[in-house]
């Protein structure tokens, strides 16, 4: 029978099918961090359970870590307590732990791939919805709750009904200044934040085939923002080239054998999907959001839609614009910007810093803008220095912070103040997401850079 | 973690007719710093419920004494965004045992089922009827019958069926969780793992 990529990976990980219920689903790789794991370990302890396969779980601290002075003790006692719990639990159960200060520390969805923990055909979970990032490698990767973290720790399985399948094709050539982030925000704006709920997405078409691994990660990362549990892209030579010789990638004969298998991981020609959508690359502009969910995005040159023109309730829409301090028909170009945030598991990789640098090079940071540039990992940080990007951004008046999730969810001190506008390369513009009362405009690193040097929302194509 | 069994719940309900209520609203990230499962109910809808100085926002539904009950009725796409189970804990700890919506986000729905909150998905029309019934009379009793998989507005008799898979239904009726089940098949899992390449 013909199968999709998703079927092939899913079906090969079902330990048991339950009549009228979910599948017992085996997990190859499990990432944990300090925020969603402590209660899972408490559960293990209270039931007297062990971790079944500690070598399949990887811990990194990222959500609440400070992004300055990481060599000093963490000031917030609650954060410090969570970091200590992660360390203690990892030590107690024999789990690899890349804590604060560790050379490999960084955002879980950045360090996993860059160390070769992620691989094609794997099933990967983490108590974090942006686990979908790892789908870029042809893995089934998705976020889980803390009860499920406990299940994976104790049995390496969770109970999941098999989602429906959707394929999203984007064909053609992306225009100048249009990045993978824009492709994702465009798709979400078309589907809304619930358009893919209940589905697992496969991205196909030449736009994704021609994309780098980092670009694919950005796209798959944002799958959850259209409601999908995850998204994936068939592994190809780009994937294998990225993974080859990563610290934890297979080596020698084992590598060759794995690649031969990974090459079979693609959707059969006559396999079918429950839903299929096709978009044209030429319709996609640099994108920006204007509301309080990631589906409220549009081409940067457009005006904010009328309530009547959008799907969903008028009251909810108006509440959203009120929160943002915007009005129907406003144009986004020229809107005031107070903060710029470059970073997160969505756009905190080296290509994102290269893109940012390409615009700020030879320009100066606008005086009215506070910019937080946060690499996704120490490895990204090292590359920023090695490639001379640090010199470029320093010359332009910016400084670099230390790795972590930072202002994406503002669990540490990196909070956007109430009422202020932040152009952010992160993934969510929910009310208060970046700090109580903060107002977020989601965009690509190019749009963020353009805002950072002009102080207002600016079309990056004018600066390229 | 153990939760109370769910059978038939008859209660008044709290209406929150907004769409796309995300888990950052249900519980903001700065309240996720606990290492124990305690006190999340106090911060349910924190930034909609309280001013910066900690005083209640009078216009928010949870601060309106007219509305109370063990059922929360939300708008479409309830629970989108972050996978934080803390959102489901907050809903449960506050005292809700059931959330009704015309559409749930996946992870939130799963998390609810794992912690003993029953997500009841109804048609948009029925959702509208419930909101209207509550606004007409805040004391309207709603019956959520898990064994029969029905939800009924008792004052009008309007009734609708809802879906839940039989495995999860059984768990909710008995207060079981998935770990009990998974533990019982450990040797099957181990032999499966032994057959894997990686």
């Amino acid at each position: 029978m013909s199968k999709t990529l998703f079927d092939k990976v899913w079906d090969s990980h079902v330990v048991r099918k339950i009549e009228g219920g979910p599948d017992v689903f085996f997990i190859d790789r499990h990432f944990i961090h300090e925020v969603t794991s402590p209660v899972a370990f408490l559960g293990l302890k209270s039931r007297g359970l062990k971790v079944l396969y500690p070598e399949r779980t990887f811990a990194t601290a990222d959500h609440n870590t400070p992004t300055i002075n990481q060599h000093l003790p963490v000031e917030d006692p609650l954060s410090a307590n969570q970091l200590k719990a992660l360390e203690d639990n990892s030590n107690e159960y024999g789990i690899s732990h890349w804590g604060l200060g560790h050379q490999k520390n960084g955002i879980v969805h950045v360090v996993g791939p860059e160390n070769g923990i992620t691989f094609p055909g794997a099933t990967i979970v983490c108590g974090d919805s942006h686990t979908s990032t790892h789908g870029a490698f042809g893995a089934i990767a998705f976020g889980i709750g803390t009860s499920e973290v406990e299940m994976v720790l104790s049995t390496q399985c969770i109970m999941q009904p098999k989602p429906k399948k959707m394929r999203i094709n984007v064909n053609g050539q992306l225009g100048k200044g249009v990045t993978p982030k824009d492709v994702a925000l465009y798709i979400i704006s078309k589907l809304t934040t619930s358009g893919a709920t209940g589905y697992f997405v496969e991205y196909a078409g030449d736009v994704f085939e021609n994309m780098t691994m980092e670009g694919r990660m950005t796209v798959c990362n944002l799958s959850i923002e259209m409601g999908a549990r995850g998204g994936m892209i068939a592994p190809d030579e780009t994937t294998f080239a990225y993974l080859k010789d990563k610290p934890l990638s297979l080596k020698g004969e084992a590598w060759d054998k794995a690649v031969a298998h990974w090459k079979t991981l693609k959707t059969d020609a006559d396999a079918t999907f429950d839903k299929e959508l096709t978009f044209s690359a030429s319709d996609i502009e640099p994108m920006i959001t204007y509301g309080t969910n990631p589906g409220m995005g549009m081409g940067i040159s457009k005006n904010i839609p009328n309530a009547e023109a959008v799907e969903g309730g008028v009251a909810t829409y108006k509440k959203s614009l009120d929160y943002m301090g915007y009005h129907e028909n406003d144009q986004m170009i020229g809107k005031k910007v107070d903060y710029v945030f470059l970073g997160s598991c969505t756009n905190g990789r080296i290509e994102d810093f290269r893109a940012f640098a390409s615009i700020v090079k030879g320009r100066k940071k606008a005086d009215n803008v506070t910019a937080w540039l946060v690499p996704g990992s120490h490895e990204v940080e090292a590359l920023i220095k090695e490639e001379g990007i640090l010199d470029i951004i320093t010359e332009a008046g910016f400084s670099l912070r230390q790795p972590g999730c930072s202002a994406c969810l503002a669990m540490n001190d990196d909070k956007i103040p109430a009422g202020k506008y932040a152009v952010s390369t992160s993934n969510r513009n929910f009310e208060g997401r970046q700090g109580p009362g903060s107002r977020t405009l989601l965009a690509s690193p190019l749009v963020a850079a353009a805002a950072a040097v002009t102080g207002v929302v600016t079309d990056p194509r004018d600066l390229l | 973690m153990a939760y109370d069994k769910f059978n038939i719940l008859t209660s008044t309900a709290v209406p929150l007719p907004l769409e796309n209520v995300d888990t950052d609203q249900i519980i903001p990230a700065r309240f996720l710093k606990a290492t124990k499962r305690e006190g999340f109910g106090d911060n349910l809808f924190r930034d909609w419920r309280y001013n910066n100085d900690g005083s209640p926002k009078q216009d928010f539904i949870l601060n309106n004494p007219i509305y109370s009950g063990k059922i929360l009725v939300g708008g479409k796409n309830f629970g989108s965004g972050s996978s934080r189970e803390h959102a489901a804990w907050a809903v449960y700890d506050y005292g809700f045992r059931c959330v009704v919506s015309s559409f749930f986000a996946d992870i939130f729905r799963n998390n609810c089922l794992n912690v003993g909150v029953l997500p009841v998905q109804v048609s948009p029309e029925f959702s509208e009827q419930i909101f209207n019934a509550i606004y007409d009379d805040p004391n309207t009793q709603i019956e959520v019958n898990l064994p029969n998989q029905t939800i009924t507005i008792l004052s009008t008799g309007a009734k609708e069926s809802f879906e839940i898979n039989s495995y999860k239904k059984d768990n909710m009726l008995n207060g079981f969780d998935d770990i009990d089940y998974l533990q019982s098949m450990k040797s099957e899992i181990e032999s499966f793992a032994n057959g894997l390449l990686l």
Side-chain angles (χ1 to χ4, degrees), chain A residues 428-448:
Chain A
R428 289 187 174 132
N429 50 352
F430 297 150
E431 285 185 31
R433 169 80 179 183
Q434 298 198 277
S438 60
R439 292 156 157 171
T440 301
L441 315 179
L442 297 176
S444 74
L446 291 177
V447 172

PDB file of all heavy atoms in Angstrom, chain A residues 428-448:
ATOM      1  N   ARG A 428       5.417  33.800  18.610  1.00  0.00           N
ATOM      2  CA  ARG A 428       4.076  34.089  19.126  1.00  0.00           C
ATOM      3  C   ARG A 428       3.911  35.554  19.481  1.00  0.00           C
ATOM      4  O   ARG A 428       4.785  36.150  20.114  1.00  0.00           O
ATOM      5  CB  ARG A 428       3.773  33.219  20.353  1.00  0.00           C
ATOM      6  CG  ARG A 428       3.572  31.784  19.941  1.00  0.00           C
ATOM      7  CD  ARG A 428       3.099  30.896  21.061  1.00  0.00           C
ATOM      8  NE  ARG A 428       2.802  29.595  20.501  1.00  0.00           N
ATOM      9  CZ  ARG A 428       3.217  28.428  21.005  1.00  0.00           C
ATOM     10  NH1 ARG A 428       3.906  28.408  22.127  1.00  0.00           N
ATOM     11  NH2 ARG A 428       2.922  27.292  20.409  1.00  0.00           N
ATOM     12  N   ASN A 429       2.775  36.103  19.070  1.00  0.00           N
ATOM     13  CA  ASN A 429       2.456  37.494  19.352  1.00  0.00           C
ATOM     14  C   ASN A 429       1.255  37.588  20.277  1.00  0.00           C
ATOM     15  O   ASN A 429       0.537  38.577  20.273  1.00  0.00           O
ATOM     16  CB  ASN A 429       2.185  38.232  18.040  1.00  0.00           C
ATOM     17  CG  ASN A 429       1.192  37.490  17.157  1.00  0.00           C
ATOM     18  OD1 ASN A 429       0.805  36.349  17.446  1.00  0.00           O
ATOM     19  ND2 ASN A 429       0.760  38.111  16.074  1.00  0.00           N
ATOM     20  N   PHE A 430       1.037  36.540  21.068  1.00  0.00           N
ATOM     21  CA  PHE A 430      -0.087  36.535  22.003  1.00  0.00           C
ATOM     22  C   PHE A 430       0.031  37.712  22.973  1.00  0.00           C
ATOM     23  O   PHE A 430       1.131  38.175  23.273  1.00  0.00           O
ATOM     24  CB  PHE A 430      -0.080  35.247  22.834  1.00  0.00           C
ATOM     25  CG  PHE A 430      -0.251  33.983  22.036  1.00  0.00           C
ATOM     26  CD1 PHE A 430       0.324  32.803  22.483  1.00  0.00           C
ATOM     27  CD2 PHE A 430      -0.998  33.955  20.866  1.00  0.00           C
ATOM     28  CE1 PHE A 430       0.164  31.615  21.783  1.00  0.00           C
ATOM     29  CE2 PHE A 430      -1.160  32.776  20.159  1.00  0.00           C
ATOM     30  CZ  PHE A 430      -0.578  31.600  20.610  1.00  0.00           C
ATOM     31  N   GLU A 431      -1.108  38.138  23.503  1.00  0.00           N
ATOM     32  CA  GLU A 431      -1.112  39.187  24.526  1.00  0.00           C
ATOM     33  C   GLU A 431      -0.139  38.820  25.640  1.00  0.00           C
ATOM     34  O   GLU A 431      -0.202  37.717  26.187  1.00  0.00           O
ATOM     35  CB  GLU A 431      -2.502  39.307  25.160  1.00  0.00           C
ATOM     36  CG  GLU A 431      -3.535  39.977  24.302  1.00  0.00           C
ATOM     37  CD  GLU A 431      -4.857  40.167  25.062  1.00  0.00           C
ATOM     38  OE1 GLU A 431      -4.826  40.349  26.289  1.00  0.00           O
ATOM     39  OE2 GLU A 431      -5.908  40.117  24.402  1.00  0.00           O
ATOM     40  N   GLY A 432       0.741  39.739  25.960  1.00  0.00           N
ATOM     41  CA  GLY A 432       1.632  39.545  27.109  1.00  0.00           C
ATOM     42  C   GLY A 432       2.700  38.484  26.937  1.00  0.00           C
ATOM     43  O   GLY A 432       3.439  38.200  27.866  1.00  0.00           O
ATOM     44  N   ARG A 433       2.809  37.924  25.761  1.00  0.00           N
ATOM     45  CA  ARG A 433       3.765  36.846  25.548  1.00  0.00           C
ATOM     46  C   ARG A 433       5.196  37.285  25.873  1.00  0.00           C
ATOM     47  O   ARG A 433       5.976  36.557  26.453  1.00  0.00           O
ATOM     48  CB  ARG A 433       3.678  36.393  24.081  1.00  0.00           C
ATOM     49  CG  ARG A 433       4.780  35.457  23.636  1.00  0.00           C
ATOM     50  CD  ARG A 433       4.538  34.036  24.056  1.00  0.00           C
ATOM     51  NE  ARG A 433       5.606  33.179  23.582  1.00  0.00           N
ATOM     52  CZ  ARG A 433       5.645  31.854  23.741  1.00  0.00           C
ATOM     53  NH1 ARG A 433       4.658  31.239  24.371  1.00  0.00           N
ATOM     54  NH2 ARG A 433       6.630  31.143  23.285  1.00  0.00           N
ATOM     55  N   GLN A 434       5.543  38.504  25.446  1.00  0.00           N
ATOM     56  CA  GLN A 434       6.920  38.968  25.647  1.00  0.00           C
ATOM     57  C   GLN A 434       7.068  39.832  26.896  1.00  0.00           C
ATOM     58  O   GLN A 434       8.065  40.525  27.055  1.00  0.00           O
ATOM     59  CB  GLN A 434       7.404  39.719  24.401  1.00  0.00           C
ATOM     60  CG  GLN A 434       7.423  38.819  23.162  1.00  0.00           C
ATOM     61  CD  GLN A 434       8.277  39.397  22.061  1.00  0.00           C
ATOM     62  OE1 GLN A 434       7.837  40.245  21.297  1.00  0.00           O
ATOM     63  NE2 GLN A 434       9.536  38.956  21.990  1.00  0.00           N
ATOM     64  N   GLY A 435       6.102  39.716  27.779  1.00  0.00           N
ATOM     65  CA  GLY A 435       6.071  40.523  28.993  1.00  0.00           C
ATOM     66  C   GLY A 435       4.661  41.078  29.133  1.00  0.00           C
ATOM     67  O   GLY A 435       4.012  41.333  28.110  1.00  0.00           O
ATOM     68  N   PRO A 436       4.189  41.279  30.370  1.00  0.00           N
ATOM     69  CA  PRO A 436       2.821  41.781  30.548  1.00  0.00           C
ATOM     70  C   PRO A 436       2.602  43.079  29.776  1.00  0.00           C
ATOM     71  O   PRO A 436       3.388  44.012  29.913  1.00  0.00           O
ATOM     72  CB  PRO A 436       2.723  42.005  32.061  1.00  0.00           C
ATOM     73  CG  PRO A 436       3.759  41.103  32.652  1.00  0.00           C
ATOM     74  CD  PRO A 436       4.870  41.031  31.645  1.00  0.00           C
ATOM     75  N   GLY A 437       1.573  43.119  28.950  1.00  0.00           N
ATOM     76  CA  GLY A 437       1.249  44.333  28.196  1.00  0.00           C
ATOM     77  C   GLY A 437       2.080  44.564  26.950  1.00  0.00           C
ATOM     78  O   GLY A 437       1.867  45.539  26.228  1.00  0.00           O
ATOM     79  N   SER A 438       3.030  43.683  26.665  1.00  0.00           N
ATOM     80  CA  SER A 438       3.901  43.868  25.494  1.00  0.00           C
ATOM     81  C   SER A 438       3.108  43.682  24.198  1.00  0.00           C
ATOM     82  O   SER A 438       2.112  42.976  24.165  1.00  0.00           O
ATOM     83  CB  SER A 438       5.039  42.847  25.531  1.00  0.00           C
ATOM     84  OG  SER A 438       4.506  41.533  25.509  1.00  0.00           O
ATOM     85  N   ARG A 439       3.582  44.352  23.144  1.00  0.00           N
ATOM     86  CA  ARG A 439       2.925  44.240  21.834  1.00  0.00           C
ATOM     87  C   ARG A 439       3.950  43.739  20.826  1.00  0.00           C
ATOM     88  O   ARG A 439       4.974  44.391  20.603  1.00  0.00           O
ATOM     89  CB  ARG A 439       2.398  45.601  21.402  1.00  0.00           C
ATOM     90  CG  ARG A 439       1.251  46.102  22.273  1.00  0.00           C
ATOM     91  CD  ARG A 439       1.194  47.606  22.179  1.00  0.00           C
ATOM     92  NE  ARG A 439      -0.128  48.122  22.501  1.00  0.00           N
ATOM     93  CZ  ARG A 439      -0.376  49.421  22.657  1.00  0.00           C
ATOM     94  NH1 ARG A 439       0.587  50.316  22.506  1.00  0.00           N
ATOM     95  NH2 ARG A 439      -1.594  49.831  22.937  1.00  0.00           N
ATOM     96  N   THR A 440       3.650  42.603  20.224  1.00  0.00           N
ATOM     97  CA  THR A 440       4.627  41.920  19.383  1.00  0.00           C
ATOM     98  C   THR A 440       4.248  41.946  17.911  1.00  0.00           C
ATOM     99  O   THR A 440       3.097  41.676  17.557  1.00  0.00           O
ATOM    100  CB  THR A 440       4.725  40.438  19.818  1.00  0.00           C
ATOM    101  OG1 THR A 440       5.104  40.399  21.194  1.00  0.00           O
ATOM    102  CG2 THR A 440       5.734  39.680  18.973  1.00  0.00           C
ATOM    103  N   LEU A 441       5.216  42.286  17.069  1.00  0.00           N
ATOM    104  CA  LEU A 441       5.050  42.163  15.620  1.00  0.00           C
ATOM    105  C   LEU A 441       6.007  41.068  15.166  1.00  0.00           C
ATOM    106  O   LEU A 441       7.226  41.244  15.230  1.00  0.00           O
ATOM    107  CB  LEU A 441       5.413  43.481  14.916  1.00  0.00           C
ATOM    108  CG  LEU A 441       4.870  44.783  15.525  1.00  0.00           C
ATOM    109  CD1 LEU A 441       5.354  45.988  14.715  1.00  0.00           C
ATOM    110  CD2 LEU A 441       3.353  44.771  15.563  1.00  0.00           C
ATOM    111  N   LEU A 442       5.474  39.942  14.752  1.00  0.00           N
ATOM    112  CA  LEU A 442       6.324  38.844  14.305  1.00  0.00           C
ATOM    113  C   LEU A 442       6.811  39.112  12.889  1.00  0.00           C
ATOM    114  O   LEU A 442       6.040  39.567  12.031  1.00  0.00           O
ATOM    115  CB  LEU A 442       5.553  37.522  14.317  1.00  0.00           C
ATOM    116  CG  LEU A 442       5.066  37.031  15.662  1.00  0.00           C
ATOM    117  CD1 LEU A 442       4.236  35.758  15.470  1.00  0.00           C
ATOM    118  CD2 LEU A 442       6.226  36.782  16.614  1.00  0.00           C
ATOM    119  N   ALA A 443       8.076  38.801  12.656  1.00  0.00           N
ATOM    120  CA  ALA A 443       8.638  39.031  11.330  1.00  0.00           C
ATOM    121  C   ALA A 443       9.944  38.271  11.165  1.00  0.00           C
ATOM    122  O   ALA A 443      10.422  37.614  12.097  1.00  0.00           O
ATOM    123  CB  ALA A 443       8.862  40.527  11.113  1.00  0.00           C
ATOM    124  N   SER A 444      10.518  38.388   9.995  1.00  0.00           N
ATOM    125  CA  SER A 444      11.783  37.709   9.686  1.00  0.00           C
ATOM    126  C   SER A 444      12.965  38.507  10.244  1.00  0.00           C
ATOM    127  O   SER A 444      12.826  39.678  10.613  1.00  0.00           O
ATOM    128  CB  SER A 444      11.938  37.618   8.168  1.00  0.00           C
ATOM    129  OG  SER A 444      12.269  38.904   7.661  1.00  0.00           O
ATOM    130  N   PRO A 445      14.141  37.908  10.265  1.00  0.00           N
ATOM    131  CA  PRO A 445      15.338  38.653  10.688  1.00  0.00           C
ATOM    132  C   PRO A 445      15.614  39.867   9.797  1.00  0.00           C
ATOM    133  O   PRO A 445      16.151  40.878  10.281  1.00  0.00           O
ATOM    134  CB  PRO A 445      16.457  37.614  10.553  1.00  0.00           C
ATOM    135  CG  PRO A 445      15.773  36.295  10.760  1.00  0.00           C
ATOM    136  CD  PRO A 445      14.428  36.465  10.106  1.00  0.00           C
ATOM    137  N   LEU A 446      15.239  39.807   8.523  1.00  0.00           N
ATOM    138  CA  LEU A 446      15.462  40.968   7.642  1.00  0.00           C
ATOM    139  C   LEU A 446      14.549  42.129   8.033  1.00  0.00           C
ATOM    140  O   LEU A 446      14.982  43.291   8.092  1.00  0.00           O
ATOM    141  CB  LEU A 446      15.207  40.589   6.174  1.00  0.00           C
ATOM    142  CG  LEU A 446      16.206  39.640   5.508  1.00  0.00           C
ATOM    143  CD1 LEU A 446      15.751  39.322   4.081  1.00  0.00           C
ATOM    144  CD2 LEU A 446      17.614  40.236   5.499  1.00  0.00           C
ATOM    145  N   VAL A 447      13.286  41.808   8.314  1.00  0.00           N
ATOM    146  CA  VAL A 447      12.341  42.858   8.728  1.00  0.00           C
ATOM    147  C   VAL A 447      12.763  43.417  10.086  1.00  0.00           C
ATOM    148  O   VAL A 447      12.694  44.635  10.333  1.00  0.00           O
ATOM    149  CB  VAL A 447      10.895  42.304   8.767  1.00  0.00           C
ATOM    150  CG1 VAL A 447       9.936  43.328   9.376  1.00  0.00           C
ATOM    151  CG2 VAL A 447      10.433  41.914   7.360  1.00  0.00           C
ATOM    152  N   ALA A 448      13.235  42.528  10.961  1.00  0.00           N
ATOM    153  CA  ALA A 448      13.704  42.977  12.284  1.00  0.00           C
ATOM    154  C   ALA A 448      14.886  43.930  12.128  1.00  0.00           C
ATOM    155  O   ALA A 448      14.952  44.976  12.792  1.00  0.00           O
ATOM    156  CB  ALA A 448      14.096  41.771  13.133  1.00  0.00           C
TER     157      ALA A 448
END
